[in-house]
Amino acid sequence: MIYYVTPTYPRPEQVPELTRLAHTLMHVPRIHWIIADDQPLCSDVVLNILRRTNLPFTHISSPKPFLYKGTNFPRGVSNRRAAVAWLQENVSDGILYFGDDDNTVDLELFDEIRNTKKVSMFPVGLIGGYGVSSPVVKNGKVAGFFDSWPGSRTFPVDMAGFAVNMKFLKPSASMPYIAGHEEDKFLVSLDLKMEDIEPLADNCTKILVWHTKTAKYKKPTVKINLKQFDGEPKFQNFVNLLKETSRLGMASIESNNGTKPYIIRDRKSYETLTGLQ
Ligand SMILES: *[C@@H]1O[C@H](CO)[C@@H](O)[C@H](O)[C@H]1NC(C)=O
């Protein structure tokens, strides 16, 4: 079984990113999706996506600790910690992989990581200043790392660039709240040695995962008083579309604030209600 750990938080891109990832994971046999949700209560929007996959899943509420509110605190740490704690309590066999919701994954990656004995590593595309972050492999063993940010790290790798066998997930496993050092300190906490690392993807020559990163979309506020549509059944489809857009976090709909919207008909723009008459 592969335990695919995905931290997530609400933003306009959340639903499309998780939908894309869900539709990749649905092609993978023996996978258990752990979504660590950044909300104090697990979000219904996320739960709906999980349910529709028909995959075994665990949905964990793992908001950032109060202590770190408003600080430049690395996203995803409390989430991955919660997922690791859940795995340590409930699972003894299988493979742990940290796959964010803004990654693109080739299905071949799953065949590769499934045979991880301790810790396997492989290249990740679209990282930093070299276009890739990867172990450098010599005679079938990891001899060094190619990553544009050394950051005095023992294991300068991306979160998506390694997989861990649960047998190797020691009780000492921990991930610090230090931006840029989460991967390295986690691997060091496992007491990983260079000679333990299993290079995958044809001795780290192929790229099977990318840190795609969807362009950030600034959530707009649209000024519409939904009450004006009350008792107007002919506008219900439109009202429901607006409610769905708001529910999925892609826009705020407010009655007295935001961009004034128009309806277009015959190449003319009309204020919402009159455009629909
Ligand atoms: C990786 O390199 C080693 C040593 O050169 C070789 O024996 C092995 O077959 C290679 N593995 C793959 C999958 O290409």
Side-chain angles (χ1 to χ4, degrees):
M1 187 68 93
I2 292 172
Y3 294 89
Y4 197 97
V5 172
T6 306
T8 194
Y9 65 98
R11 61 201 191 281
E13 302 83 14
Q14 183 181 37
V15 170
E17 301 272 49
L18 287 174
T19 300
R20 183 177 48 176
L21 178 55
H23 290 182
T24 298
L25 299 186
M26 284 162 77
H27 291 283
V28 182
R30 284 175 292 136
I31 191 151
H32 182 126
W33 198 5
I34 302 178
I35 288 207
D37 200 323
D38 206 356
Q39 295 298 289
L41 283 176
C42 285
S43 121
D44 282 341
V45 162
V46 171
L47 183 58
N48 271 335
I49 294 172
L50 279 167
R51 286 217 172 103
R52 285 179 57 209
T53 63
N54 278 323
L55 293 171
F57 68 81
T58 302
H59 191 186
I60 308 176
S61 156
S62 46
K64 60 173 128 179
F66 186 75
L67 173 69
Y68 295 100
K69 286 233 160 78
T71 65
N72 179 25
F73 137 115
R75 247 184 214 298
V77 175
S78 61
N79 314 73
R80 294 188 195 95
R81 283 181 167 207
V84 166
W86 185 87
L87 284 166
Q88 284 172 324
E89 278 171 36
N90 296 285
V91 172
S92 52
D93 286 310
I95 306 297
L96 159 64
Y97 181 70
F98 293 115
D100 291 349
D101 59 8
D102 58 353
N103 291 348
T104 302
V105 197
D106 188 309
L107 292 177
E108 267 185 46
L109 183 77
F110 300 94
D111 299 333
E112 294 264 338
I113 63 175
R114 218 181 275 283
N115 297 313
T116 302
K117 307 277 182 304
K118 290 180 177 172
V119 173
S120 58
M121 290 191 182
F122 34 86
V124 182
L126 300 176
I127 301 288
Y130 301 159
V132 70
S133 165
S134 176
V136 175
V137 177
K138 210 176 110 191
N139 299 327
K141 297 300 284 177
V142 173
F145 297 91
F146 185 64
D147 186 292
S148 65
W149 185 65
S152 52
R153 295 180 291 169
T154 310
F155 303 107
V157 296
D158 185 74
M159 196 60 81
F162 63 91
V164 180
N165 191 304
M166 287 300 302
K167 296 263 185 278
F168 198 73
L169 191 69
K170 308 194 166 68
S172 59
S174 74
M175 191 176 283
Y177 287 105
I178 307 172
H181 292 268
E182 301 95 321
E183 299 90 343
D184 179 44
K185 293 277 193 285
F186 176 74
L187 292 166
V188 167
S189 80
L190 299 182
D191 200 20
L192 178 66
K193 302 283 176 285
M194 283 294 271
E195 56 270 26
D196 292 334
I197 304 171
E198 301 144 58
L200 299 181
D202 287 354
N203 284 321
C204 296
T205 59
K206 293 198 321 200
I207 298 174
L208 300 175
V209 56
W210 295 261
H211 191 191
T212 330
K213 274 186 267 176
T214 305
K216 230 175 164 27
Y217 179 78
K218 192 176 178 305
K219 181 173 170 175
T221 300
V222 185
K223 184 178 175 182
I224 301 182
N225 181 4
L226 290 177
K227 288 218 172 65
Q228 74 183 304
F229 296 110
D230 280 355
E232 296 263 22
K234 61 183 169 178
F235 300 137
Q236 274 319 299
N237 293 147
F238 181 55
V239 169
N240 290 343
L241 170 68
L242 295 173
K243 286 183 177 163
E244 183 69 351
T245 305
S246 159
R247 190 180 71 85
L248 298 181
M250 284 170 290
S252 299
I253 309 292
E254 292 187 15
S255 56
N256 46 22
N257 177 32
T259 309
K260 195 167 138 189
Y262 294 91
I263 298 291
I264 301 146
R265 197 174 66 201
D266 291 339
R267 292 186 284 136
K268 290 199 190 72
S269 296
Y270 298 88
E271 289 191 21
T272 34
L273 250 185
T274 54
L276 290 171
Q277 296 297 345

